Amino acid sequence: MRFNRILLSTTLVIVALVIQVSVLARLQLPGAVPDLVLLTVLGLALVYGHVGGALVGFGAGLLADLAPPADHAAGRYALVLCVVGYLAGLAKPETGRLRSATGPLVVVVGAAIGSTLLYAGVGALVGDTAARHVGLGGLLFTAALYDLLLAPFTVPLIIALARRAENDPLGETSPANKATDVASGWLSSGTGLRIGNQRGGLRMKAAKARVARAGRIKGVKRL
């Protein structure tokens, strides 16, 4: 990943994690907790694609695993967000532009349900039965509802920031620099070829003219 991607992703994930731990987790809402870190990963994955989404998801999940008051094994949420970020990145539009808000909202609902199921499944493998006591059905419904309500205020902003960073003219491989490099290379190569062809043509014409002159001179001398 490029430096601007790493810097933006790290900043957004840390801000989202601080808000989630210090504000959202203390609202004492019934069921699940609104997952701002998940929404941040989804927004970045829709811009960076499946590879970038997986990397951002793993890093964000690992920070969430280590941040207090985490009460589960480290790496558990990192695995969940890595998978979710990869799958969400597959929904990245080919043109890079979202035509409507329906697609991202469907991704948010699917990610909220999928991450809850995957988190509970991994917990069952390591002996964590907390989801059974709370009620998996209630967790799924509240997780999807809270994330869906929070998504319109967060995901578009994250997508806009990520796209702006992608179009940074100071980036090494930004689209503007790529277009400039390609255009300048094409112009220089095209000009060189044309000049070379013109020079070669002029040289051939000059050589033919000299040969014709020499032939005429020889013919005059013989007469």
Side-chain angles (χ1 to χ4, degrees):
M1 297 178 69
R2 296 182 303 175
F3 176 75
N4 56 346
R5 284 189 177 187
I6 297 175
L7 180 60
L8 178 65
S9 301
T10 303
T11 303
L12 291 177
V13 167
I14 292 176
V15 172
L17 183 60
V18 170
I19 294 176
Q20 181 169 328
V21 172
S22 61
V23 178
L24 298 179
R26 298 184 179 183
L27 295 179
Q28 297 182 352
L29 297 173
V33 176
D35 200 339
L36 187 57
V37 176
L38 173 65
L39 296 178
T40 303
V41 172
L42 294 180
L44 294 174
L46 290 174
V47 178
Y48 296 157
H50 58 283
V51 176
L55 294 175
V56 173
F58 179 81
L62 189 60
L63 288 178
D65 288 332
L66 299 177
D71 56 353
H72 55 269
R76 180 176 171 184
Y77 201 47
L79 173 63
V80 172
L81 287 188
C82 181
V83 175
V84 171
Y86 179 86
L87 295 177
L90 295 177
K92 174 187 175 182
E94 295 182 359
T95 59
R97 295 291 180 179
L98 298 173
R99 297 182 178 180
S100 65
T102 304
L105 292 180
V106 172
V107 172
V108 169
V109 174
I113 296 176
S115 62
T116 304
L117 288 174
L118 185 57
Y119 186 82
V122 175
L125 293 177
V126 297
D128 185 2
T129 60
R132 297 180 182 178
H133 300 291
V134 176
L136 186 58
L139 284 177
L140 293 175
F141 176 76
T142 53
L145 178 62
Y146 296 155
D147 291 347
L148 187 60
L149 293 177
L150 189 59
F153 304 99
T154 55
V155 176
L157 177 61
I158 294 170
I159 292 177
L161 292 174
R163 285 177 179 167
R164 185 173 181 179
E166 286 293 283
N167 296 326
D168 187 0
L170 297 179
E172 294 181 357
T173 57
S174 63
N177 286 349
K178 284 184 177 180
T180 303
D181 294 340
V182 171
S184 60
W186 179 81
L187 287 175
S188 61
S189 61
T191 304
L193 288 176
R194 290 178 182 176
I195 291 175
N197 291 335
Q198 290 174 359
R199 289 176 178 174
L202 292 175
R203 290 175 181 174
M204 289 295 295
K205 290 180 180 180
K208 290 180 179 180
R210 286 195 295 268
V211 171
R213 288 180 182 177
R216 287 196 295 269
I217 293 173
K218 289 181 179 180
V220 172
K221 288 182 177 178
R222 288 178 182 177
L223 294 175

